[in-house]
Amino acid sequence: MVTEEPKEMSEAEVRQAILAGAKEKRLALQRERNELMAKDVDEQDIRRDILKKTVLLFHKFESQKIAQVHKKQMQEEWQQYLRCDGLPDPRVVTQMNTYLHLWEKSEICDDNELNRRCAEVLPMLEMLEQLVANTRAFSPRQINNYNDVRLNLRSQLSFAIQLASYSLLRDLEKYLKFESTKLATYERQFFGLRLNIWVAVKWPTRKLKPIEPEPEPVELSFPSIKVAVKLPKIIDGSCVCVRAARSLIDLLSESSRSFGVPGDLPNRYIDLYEFNEKELMDVIKTKKEFDDVRAKFYKEIREKTRELENFLKANPYTKNEKEKEDLDNLNMMEPPFLPDPRTFLAETNEKAFNKYLKQCLTRTRAGEVNLRKYRICGGVLNLDLITTPPQPKRMRNSVVLTTFMLPKTLQPMKYQVQYRAPAPPAPGVTRTPEEIEQEIKKVEAQYQKLAQVFIDLPLDVMWTEPPVVCQWQEARRLWTSNYVNDLKYNEDKLTIQFRTGVLWPIGIAAQKYSNMPYQGWDIKPDPDSKGVLITVTGVCVTVTWLCLSNQVRLKFIANATTPALKQYFNKPCTVKRMVQLMREAGCDFFPEFDAHNHVEGSSPKEWAMERHNYHAMAFLSRAYNFQWSRWNAGTGTRIMIMQLREAVDKKREAKLSLLYVTPQRATILKCNEMTTEISHEPMAGLPFFPDLFTLNMSYGSVDARRMTFNMQYRLVETVFEMLQELKLSSFS
């Protein structure tokens, strides 16, 4: 049997085959785009059916929580009214404004008045800070009113401290204790404030000796605030006045330009259903725009092709090689690359978030402490050199003469020496021993002009890294380290010492997010109560909380460097109060949105997706165990991966599976945490689920579903609020 050899295709036939293949490829891509669009529309129909109901359930629980907060506030207002203690209710702005007005008009300004004001004002400030943080329970106007009252109250308290100090120094004989005829001291502990004053009483000027002895430096110690200072010899110790005060509350930082976030995250509270509804409309609009671009491109190609074909028909007896080549090239041309509309919108959202992060960045001067990255911990230490005011002169017949000076404020003693130690030599530069010795002597001579300060760090702060010592520049309203030299930190004894050319208010700053990114986390039902345990492992410490009803309790802190926060173990408080306490203790596990600017290795997620998933996790928190996954960090902004398993059956522990969540769907992956490579292929047989909550309704066991629907709004909203503050998926 003779077989015919395949006939070779001519050049024209090859060209036609290539053109036909290109045309078929275009049609296939168009069909794929249309099918994907149809699939998106079908999935949105499912969301309108079940995701909308889920979102309405979430909104119902949030509304119940807000109503409970308002009811509690009304009860507290009534209790405050019944007390009749003469104090205003911080929740009532008009009462607070009246209190501030009467305080400003008051002429009493001694230390007893300061003690009373401290005891009254600090609890008010604590309550106002929690009210300002609770943005969902109050309108923007109410929040602004509360914040204005809070700032005015802080300002008035700061002024009262200065005025009381001035009042004490105006009459040393009356208020201070004379250790000798040359020395007077004052020490008192107020509510949230310790005040020390040391005054060298100036004697009449004596006749100078032919050879005056070299003055000795003044060394002072204030044990009550665990501070010591050694003044330089250039300061006359015979008539110096030093005020040392440690306030537990920082009354300075909030006026700095780098303290607050420039703006809130746009669409922070948009729900997932509304997000998907809006995004689908944008996808349809973008697809139409892209299709119009392609249609316009192909229309131009068809017009050019028609011109060339007409030219070739009109000139059949010429070769026209260039025209034929141009015609083939036109038929093979493709429109400019246009991404999938949903991918394009995801990239647009990511760029918008990066723009928001860029807006949150604060440009700082040399030596300025950026308060978005650092926090002043342990309060503020006021170490001041003050000019002693004129003292009253007692005359006969009970007549007292006093020089009247305006303004009636503390006058700082002139002392300012700016010196920065020279930088170490560049690598490879060698110096002779004589040069080294000469430089050491030069540095020591400059150091003799600086005051030396010794501080024992407070143990109510978690010191996990060497702190940054800074001083307050009142004129510029910022913290600076430009005047701090020769800083030494003893990690074992938790002490610092440094030299400075100015005695301004001192702050000890710690990095806000030193525990991030998270190294792991775990959420599970508490076996000993009807609550939920949340454990988060940071870079330095591991913290466990118990959410029970509408309160949260701090259970344990592992690897702590100090006994900070131990007094709050197992004590119930609100989530906002817990955030406040841990931030004050330098143990911040509650990043704000701009923390991505300062945390290396964070993985920001689409917030509408992340927030909705936290709400679903809160509903499922008594039925499931959720854990950190190592695959989450590198998945981009539109994908979250975590481990989960049912925790209803306490006798048998289920295996962990990987939960895969996007703004459009939630599913269980075929692979697990132990696989060498991640695959986004879902488990076989699982249908489409818009979110984790609806996934549980079909995938979860009967007991897990029953447990979910039996959840009370108090526990759900407490867990939800904690997860929003922790932002586990974005920072692990």
Side-chain angles (χ1 to χ4, degrees):
M1 185 177 178
V2 180
T3 58
E4 293 185 5
E5 293 184 2
K7 201 174 183 181
E8 288 190 5
M9 297 176 66
S10 65
E11 185 178 347
E13 291 174 332
V14 171
R15 188 182 301 113
Q16 289 297 323
I18 293 173
L19 293 176
K23 187 176 181 180
E24 181 61 31
K25 181 181 177 182
R26 292 170 190 161
L27 292 173
L29 289 173
Q30 185 176 356
R31 283 195 301 271
E32 184 180 342
R33 289 193 293 268
N34 292 336
E35 289 171 359
L36 185 61
M37 190 74 258
K39 181 183 177 184
D40 281 348
V41 173
D42 291 341
E43 289 179 352
Q44 189 63 17
D45 290 338
I46 298 175
R47 291 189 192 97
R48 291 190 184 104
D49 180 29
I50 56 178
L51 181 60
K52 190 174 183 180
K53 294 177 182 177
T54 302
V55 167
L56 289 174
L57 176 63
F58 289 3
H59 286 332
K60 176 185 174 183
F61 272 46
E62 284 189 271
S63 300
Q64 288 178 319
K65 173 68 174 180
I66 293 173
Q68 185 256 339
V69 170
H70 287 158
K71 182 179 178 181
K72 182 182 178 183
Q73 181 173 347
M74 294 295 291
Q75 291 173 347
E76 290 175 349
E77 288 182 16
W78 177 245
Q79 292 298 323
Q80 174 65 26
Y81 177 77
L82 292 178
R83 274 195 289 270
C84 294
D85 55 5
L87 294 178
D89 189 337
R91 292 167 286 262
V92 183
V93 175
T94 53
Q95 293 185 21
M96 291 301 301
N97 286 334
T98 302
Y99 178 83
L100 281 165
H101 178 73
L102 294 175
W103 189 3
E104 290 171 0
K105 297 298 180 182
S106 174
E107 297 181 356
I108 305 174
C109 56
D110 58 12
D111 53 346
N112 292 324
E113 173 70 4
L114 176 62
N115 186 47
R116 183 174 73 88
R117 295 295 185 181
C118 286
E120 292 176 357
V121 169
L122 292 183
M124 294 180 193
L125 286 173
E126 181 183 310
M127 183 179 296
L128 285 167
E129 286 175 2
Q130 294 183 56
L131 292 174
V132 170
N134 202 355
T135 55
R136 295 287 281 170
F138 305 102
S139 67
R141 183 178 178 181
Q142 286 176 302
I143 295 294
N144 288 334
N145 288 339
Y146 284 138
N147 198 44
D148 289 343
V149 169
R150 186 179 64 88
L151 294 177
N152 291 335
L153 206 58
R154 291 166 64 93
S155 176
Q156 190 63 26
L157 180 60
S158 177
F159 179 70
I161 294 173
Q162 297 295 94
L163 207 57
S165 301
Y166 176 79
S167 152
L168 293 170
L169 289 173
R170 281 287 288 161
D171 196 341
L172 301 180
E173 187 176 337
K174 180 179 179 181
Y175 295 110
L176 272 64
K177 177 183 177 182
F178 277 78
E179 305 289 340
S180 66
T181 55
K182 294 184 178 181
L183 177 62
T185 60
Y186 176 89
E187 180 180 338
R188 183 169 179 178
Q189 180 171 347
F190 303 87
F191 187 80
L193 172 71
R194 288 190 176 96
L195 178 61
N196 293 261
I197 297 176
W198 187 94
V199 181
V201 181
K202 188 174 182 179
W203 275 36
T205 305
R206 60 176 175 79
K207 185 178 180 181
L208 296 177
K209 297 180 181 179
I211 301 177
E212 285 288 328
E214 186 177 353
E216 292 292 328
V218 177
E219 297 186 20
L220 306 176
S221 178
F222 304 100
S224 63
I225 58 175
K226 299 181 179 178
V227 172
V229 60
K230 182 179 180 182
L231 300 178
K233 296 179 181 179
I234 59 175
I235 294 178
D236 185 3
S238 64
C239 58
V240 69
C241 173
V242 178
R243 182 185 65 158
R246 184 190 288 278
S247 59
L248 298 183
I249 183 172
D250 176 8
L251 297 171
L252 301 174
S253 296
E254 201 159 343
S255 61
S256 174
R257 62 191 178 91
S258 68
F259 181 82
V261 184
D264 201 2
L265 182 72
N267 299 320
R268 180 175 179 177
Y269 297 109
I270 187 172
D271 62 62
L272 190 62
Y273 173 74
E274 185 182 352
F275 174 86
N276 274 295
E277 191 77 17
K278 180 179 180 300
E279 186 167 90
L280 181 62
M281 295 299 104
D282 292 340
V283 166
I284 294 173
K285 180 182 176 183
T286 305
K287 181 180 182 299
K288 185 179 182 304
E289 291 174 355
F290 286 179
D291 288 344
D292 290 344
V293 170
R294 294 187 184 97
K296 182 181 178 182
F297 173 82
Y298 288 128
K299 182 181 178 181
E300 293 174 354
I301 293 297
R302 283 195 300 271
E303 291 175 353
K304 292 179 181 178
T305 302
R306 194 177 298 114
E307 289 178 7
L308 284 174
E309 288 176 344
N310 292 336
F311 176 81
L312 291 173
K313 287 179 181 178
N315 300 277
Y317 302 109
T318 57
K319 291 186 177 180
N320 300 320
E321 296 293 338
K322 183 178 182 303
E323 286 73 11
K324 291 179 181 178
E325 184 179 354
D326 291 345
L327 181 62
D328 291 343
N329 290 337
L330 282 174
N331 287 323
M332 295 296 294
M333 284 186 70
E334 295 290 338
F337 173 75
L338 296 172
D340 167 62
R342 197 175 288 279
T343 304
F344 173 77
L345 290 173
E347 292 174 352
T348 302
N349 289 350
E350 187 173 350
K351 289 177 182 176
F353 182 71
N354 290 333
K355 183 180 179 181
Y356 166 76
L357 292 181
K358 191 174 181 180
Q359 291 173 349
C360 291
L361 287 172
T362 304
R363 296 183 64 181
T364 55
R365 299 179 175 91
E368 180 182 355
V369 176
N370 185 353
L371 295 180
R372 298 306 311 151
K373 185 177 181 180
Y374 293 90
R375 183 186 307 279
I376 304 299
C377 296
V380 173
L381 172 64
N382 284 275
L383 199 58
D384 310 309
L385 280 177
I386 301 170
T387 301
T388 307
Q391 297 299 301
K393 294 179 173 56
R394 308 188 190 282
M395 313 295 287
R396 293 180 181 177
N397 302 322
S398 301
V399 175
V400 178
L401 296 179
T402 305
T403 304
F404 189 66
M405 296 183 65
L406 291 175
K408 296 192 290 183
T409 57
L410 297 174
Q411 298 297 322
M413 180 183 290
K414 291 183 179 179
Y415 168 66
Q416 184 170 345
V417 179
Q418 187 163 12
Y419 171 72
R420 299 294 293 177
V429 176
T430 57
R431 295 180 299 171
T432 63
E434 291 78 10
E435 290 175 337
I436 296 174
E437 184 179 358
Q438 185 178 3
E439 184 174 322
I440 291 174
K441 288 182 178 179
K442 185 178 179 181
V443 170
E444 288 179 349
Q446 293 295 328
Y447 279 169
Q448 295 301 316
K449 301 176 184 178
L450 306 180
Q452 194 168 11
V453 182
F454 307 84
I455 302 175
D456 289 353
L457 295 178
L459 297 181
D460 55 358
V461 177
M462 197 101 34
W463 304 106
T464 55
E465 292 184 351
V468 176
V469 177
C470 49
Q471 295 170 292
W472 181 253
Q473 279 189 326
E474 180 65 30
R476 294 185 175 182
R477 315 297 293 175
L478 56 82
W479 290 101
T480 178
S481 59
N482 284 336
Y483 290 90
V484 177
N485 287 276
D486 193 26
L487 176 62
K488 296 175 182 176
Y489 169 58
N490 190 318
E491 186 177 359
D492 297 327
K493 296 182 179 179
L494 290 178
T495 61
I496 55 173
Q497 67 179 70
F498 60 94
R499 299 176 190 268
T500 177
V502 292
L503 288 180
W504 291 341
I506 297 170
I508 303 173
Q511 278 202 36
K512 281 186 176 182
Y513 308 119
S514 58
N515 272 292
M516 296 177 193
Y518 302 131
Q519 307 301 297
W521 53 266
D522 182 270
I523 303 170
K524 62 183 179 182
D526 180 27
D528 301 322
S529 69
K530 293 183 180 180
V532 176
L533 288 171
I534 302 177
T535 301
V536 182
T537 300
V539 175
C540 306
V541 298
T542 299
V543 185
T544 300
W545 297 272
L546 171 63
C547 297
L548 191 61
S549 186
N550 60 351
Q551 295 175 324
V552 62
R553 302 164 189 255
L554 184 60
K555 295 293 290 182
F556 186 68
I557 300 179
N559 304 320
T561 56
T562 67
L565 295 170
K566 276 192 175 181
Q567 68 271 31
Y568 298 109
F569 281 8
N570 294 313
K571 290 186 177 180
C573 62
T574 64
V575 173
K576 297 300 182 187
R577 178 59 177 157
M578 177 62 67
V579 172
Q580 183 184 358
L581 289 173
M582 296 197 68
R583 283 177 175 171
E584 289 173 355
C587 189
D588 194 345
F589 276 73
F590 309 101
E592 297 180 75
F593 289 106
D594 71 323
H596 294 289
N597 288 328
H598 311 292
V599 177
E600 186 177 350
S602 65
S603 177
K605 306 296 181 183
E606 184 68 60
W607 180 242
M609 165 190 71
E610 186 176 359
R611 183 173 182 271
H612 180 90
N613 197 61
Y614 289 151
H615 219 158
M617 290 169 67
F619 267 92
L620 274 57
S621 57
R622 284 290 298 166
Y624 283 85
N625 172 209
F626 297 95
Q627 291 185 21
W628 163 88
S629 172
R630 63 192 175 108
W631 301 112
N632 178 69
T635 54
T637 61
R638 307 272 288 193
I639 297 175
M640 294 189 303
I641 297 178
M642 64 186 69
Q643 299 181 81
L644 87 165
R645 62 182 167 197
E646 283 196 14
V648 178
D649 189 351
K650 298 179 181 178
K651 296 181 180 179
R652 185 180 62 182
E653 191 175 73
K655 291 184 179 179
L656 287 164
S657 302
L658 282 183
L659 173 67
Y660 176 88
V661 180
T662 71
Q664 283 72 46
R665 60 182 49 81
T667 190
I668 303 296
L669 295 182
K670 190 175 181 180
C671 60
N672 57 45
E673 186 73 5
M674 298 298 112
T675 53
T676 55
E677 292 184 1
I678 185 69
S679 169
H680 295 170
E681 182 181 355
M683 189 180 291
L686 280 180
F688 169 75
F689 298 107
D691 71 331
L692 171 61
F693 187 84
T694 54
L695 171 66
N696 172 63
M697 293 302 99
S698 297
Y699 178 76
S701 66
V702 175
D703 292 335
R705 295 199 297 270
R706 185 185 299 113
M707 184 75 74
T708 301
F709 278 109
N710 288 337
M711 290 288 285
Q712 299 295 316
Y713 80 88
R714 288 183 176 86
L715 177 59
V716 170
E717 294 306 305
T718 300
V719 175
F720 176 45
E721 191 175 359
M722 275 294 290
L723 295 180
Q724 286 185 94
E725 296 289 353
L726 290 166
K727 300 179 180 63
L728 299 175
S729 295
S730 287
F731 290 90
S732 62

